[in-house]
Amino acid sequence: MRYLFIATLVFLALALLAPVGSADSAANASLSLRSGPNVTRLVLTGPKGASFSLRAGRADQVMVAMEGVEALPGLPNPVGDRYVSALHTRNKGKGKLELIVELRPAAQYRTAQSMTGLGGPSLTVDFTAGKATASRPPHAPVAEAGDRPLRKRFVVAVDAGHGGKDTGALGAEGNQEKDIVLAIARKLEALLKAEPDIRPVMIRQNDEFIELRQRMERARKERADLFVSLHADAYNDPNARGASVFTLSEHGATSEAARRLADRENAADQIGGVALHDKDEVLASVLLDLTQNATLEASDRAAASVLRALQKTHAIHQPGIQKAGFAVLKSPDVPSILVETAFISNPEEELKLRSPAYQDQIAAAIAEGIRTYLKRTRPATAASAGRPVRQEVAVSATEKAVK
C-alpha cells in the first residue's frame, strides 16, 4: 500500500474521530473548498492581524504557514475531488498553524492573496490539470506556482555506524569499524550528491559518538526519505564473509510502537505528520500502525534493491533480507535499512575493507541500489522539471545496537 494512500486514510480518520477544538473563534481561520468540472477553488481566510505565507514542500503538496491563527476548524472532506486528495493541519506552536493540502497526480495550482473586508488575510488557490487557467481575483498578484512546481529532492540519511568512544568491531590487523564505515559513507555521500534528485545527509561527519536514538531523530529532523546505516560485520569464525542487508524485525517494530504509545502524552514530535499526544489510545494506535506498516514495506523494498545491487559485485553472507531489532531501524515514519558491508573479522575481507578501491566498489553498489529504488518509488523523477511528481515517502533510521 502506498504511503500517500495511507496518509489519506490517516487524515480521514482524524476528520472523523478527532475531537473538536475549543480555540477562541476570534483566532480561528476558515476554509472553503468548491469543486467544479475543471477547477477546484480553495479559499482560506484568517482573522485580523493574521498572516499567510506559502512554504516549499513536495510537488504534490501545498503548504501554508499561518501566523496569528489558533485553529482551522471544520476542514471539508475532499473525497471524490479531481485535484485535492486530503486536507490537514499541523500545530507549530501558540498562534502558529500550518495547512497542508495533498494533491492528486498531475494536479497543478496557482495562488492569489488579498485582504478581507474585516482586515484579515485571504488566500485563494485554484487547482487544475495542466496549466492553471482559472481567472485571477481582481487586483491580486498571482504566483504561478503550478508552472514551476517545487520538487522535494529525495533525502537519503547516510549513517556511518559507531564513532568516538564506540569503535565498533576490530579486525585482526587493528582496523576499527568506525573508521572504515565513515570512509565508505563519505564515498556514498559523494556519489549521491552527483544525482540531481537526491540530497544526501551525513548523520556523523567525523569521529564523534552519537547515541543511537539521536541518529534516528537526526534523520527524522532532516525529513529523510530513506535511512541507510553502514557497518562492518564481525563473528568468532574468521571464515565468515559477505555483505548483508537488514530491516527492522516484527518484534522490534512491536516494541517501538508500544514505546511510542506509552510516551505519546509527552511527545513533542509527530509521526508521519500527525501528532499523537491529543489522540485516545485506540486512535493513536491505529494511526501509528498505518504509518509504521507503510514504513516497513518501503524499508523492505529499499533493502531488496540494495541487496540486488550488491549481489552483482560482492559476496553475500545470507540470501535475502535479514531482520533484526537494531535501534537505528526503529523510526516509525522513515524507511530504514542497515548494510553490513563485509566481515572485518575475516582477514581477507579486512584487507578489502581498508582498501579505497573496495570502498569505492561497495559505495557504488549501495548507490546503485538507492537509485533503482528511487526510480521505482518516484517513476517520474527523470521527467521534465516542469511536471509535478507524486512521491512515496520513505522512512529512515540510523544505527544498530552496539555490538
Side-chain angles (χ1 to χ4, degrees):
M1 182 181 296
R2 293 183 63 83
Y3 180 88
L4 287 173
F5 175 71
I6 290 177
T8 302
L9 293 180
V10 168
F11 300 130
L12 289 176
L14 286 175
L16 292 172
L17 299 177
V20 177
S22 58
D24 183 355
S25 61
N28 287 354
S30 62
L31 185 148
S32 66
L33 191 71
R34 294 186 178 181
S35 302
N38 299 313
V39 61
T40 294
R41 171 162 290 187
L42 179 152
V43 179
L44 177 67
T45 58
K48 185 177 181 180
S51 63
F52 299 154
S53 59
L54 291 173
R55 294 187 57 189
R58 302 200 312 266
D60 59 354
Q61 288 182 334
V62 177
M63 303 175 68
V64 183
M66 295 178 280
E67 298 274 354
V69 174
E70 295 291 343
L72 181 56
L75 284 179
N77 188 338
V79 170
D81 189 88
R82 294 180 60 185
Y83 308 111
V84 177
S85 63
L87 297 165
H88 55 102
T89 59
R90 181 181 294 145
N91 194 327
K92 307 294 286 186
K94 185 173 178 59
K96 295 182 179 180
L97 203 64
E98 189 172 64
L99 170 68
I100 300 96
V101 183
E102 304 282 354
L103 306 183
R104 299 192 186 280
Q108 296 191 5
Y109 64 92
R110 67 178 184 180
T111 67
Q113 294 200 48
S114 60
M115 299 295 290
T116 67
L118 299 176
S122 176
L123 173 68
T124 299
V125 188
D126 287 335
F127 302 96
T128 63
K131 288 190 175 182
T133 56
S135 60
R136 302 182 181 185
H139 310 297
V142 175
E144 298 292 346
D147 289 343
R148 285 190 287 177
L150 294 171
R151 185 205 308 272
K152 176 184 179 290
R153 286 193 292 169
F154 191 85
V155 179
V156 179
V158 181
D159 173 45
H162 308 283
K165 64 183 181 181
D166 176 17
T167 63
L170 297 176
E173 298 296 322
N175 293 288
Q176 298 181 348
E177 179 183 4
K178 67 174 185 177
D179 298 327
I180 288 173
V181 295
L182 180 59
I184 296 173
R186 286 171 174 164
K187 293 175 182 291
L188 178 59
E189 178 195 26
L191 291 172
L192 296 179
K193 274 185 176 178
E195 299 292 327
D197 292 306
I198 298 178
R199 179 172 72 88
V201 175
M202 291 285 283
I203 297 300
R204 72 174 175 98
Q205 299 277 3
N206 46 46
D207 187 20
E208 63 175 319
F209 175 76
I210 305 175
E211 296 283 352
L212 300 180
R213 284 197 171 272
Q214 288 180 353
R215 294 171 183 257
M216 180 178 69
E217 294 306 325
R218 283 190 184 187
R220 296 187 69 219
K221 287 180 181 178
E222 291 286 347
R223 300 180 66 188
D225 297 299
L226 179 65
F227 184 87
V228 181
S229 191
L230 303 177
H231 291 264
D233 218 336
Y235 192 60
N236 54 17
D237 180 0
N239 294 315
R241 64 171 60 239
S244 305
V245 183
F246 287 81
T247 60
L248 187 63
S249 65
E250 182 178 348
H251 175 73
T254 301
S255 63
E256 181 63 16
R259 179 184 181 277
R260 295 275 177 176
L261 288 172
D263 293 346
R264 77 182 190 279
E265 294 299 331
N266 300 319
D269 64 337
Q270 299 174 332
I271 305 300
V274 179
L276 299 182
H277 68 275
D278 58 347
K279 311 298 184 299
D280 64 44
E281 186 170 357
V282 174
L283 177 57
S285 178
V286 170
L287 298 178
L288 178 57
D289 187 55
L290 287 171
T291 303
Q292 195 173 53
N293 285 343
T295 296
L296 293 174
E297 290 177 8
S299 299
D300 284 344
R301 288 193 293 272
S305 182
V306 170
L307 184 61
R308 283 192 295 268
L310 286 168
Q311 286 173 330
K312 295 178 182 178
T313 53
H314 295 78
I316 301 300
H317 179 60
Q318 293 283 355
I321 302 168
Q322 305 303 299
K323 299 287 184 176
F326 296 139
V328 293
L329 299 179
K330 291 186 176 182
S331 177
D333 50 4
V334 181
S336 306
I337 68 173
L338 185 146
V339 180
E340 296 281 9
T341 54
F343 277 81
I344 197 173
S345 56
N346 180 306
E348 181 182 347
E349 292 201 334
E350 180 186 7
L351 290 175
K352 288 182 178 180
L353 284 170
R354 62 184 290 185
S355 163
Y358 184 84
Q359 293 170 3
D360 285 336
Q361 292 173 4
I362 199 81
I366 296 171
E368 178 188 341
I370 293 172
R371 284 194 296 268
T372 302
Y373 169 70
L374 175 56
K375 288 178 182 178
R376 291 173 178 171
T377 302
R378 296 167 64 181
T381 295
S384 63
R387 296 180 60 189
V389 175
R390 191 172 181 83
Q391 76 174 52
E392 175 185 41
V393 177
V395 195
S396 87
T398 318
E399 190 181 307
K400 69 177 179 181
V402 176
K403 298 175 182 174

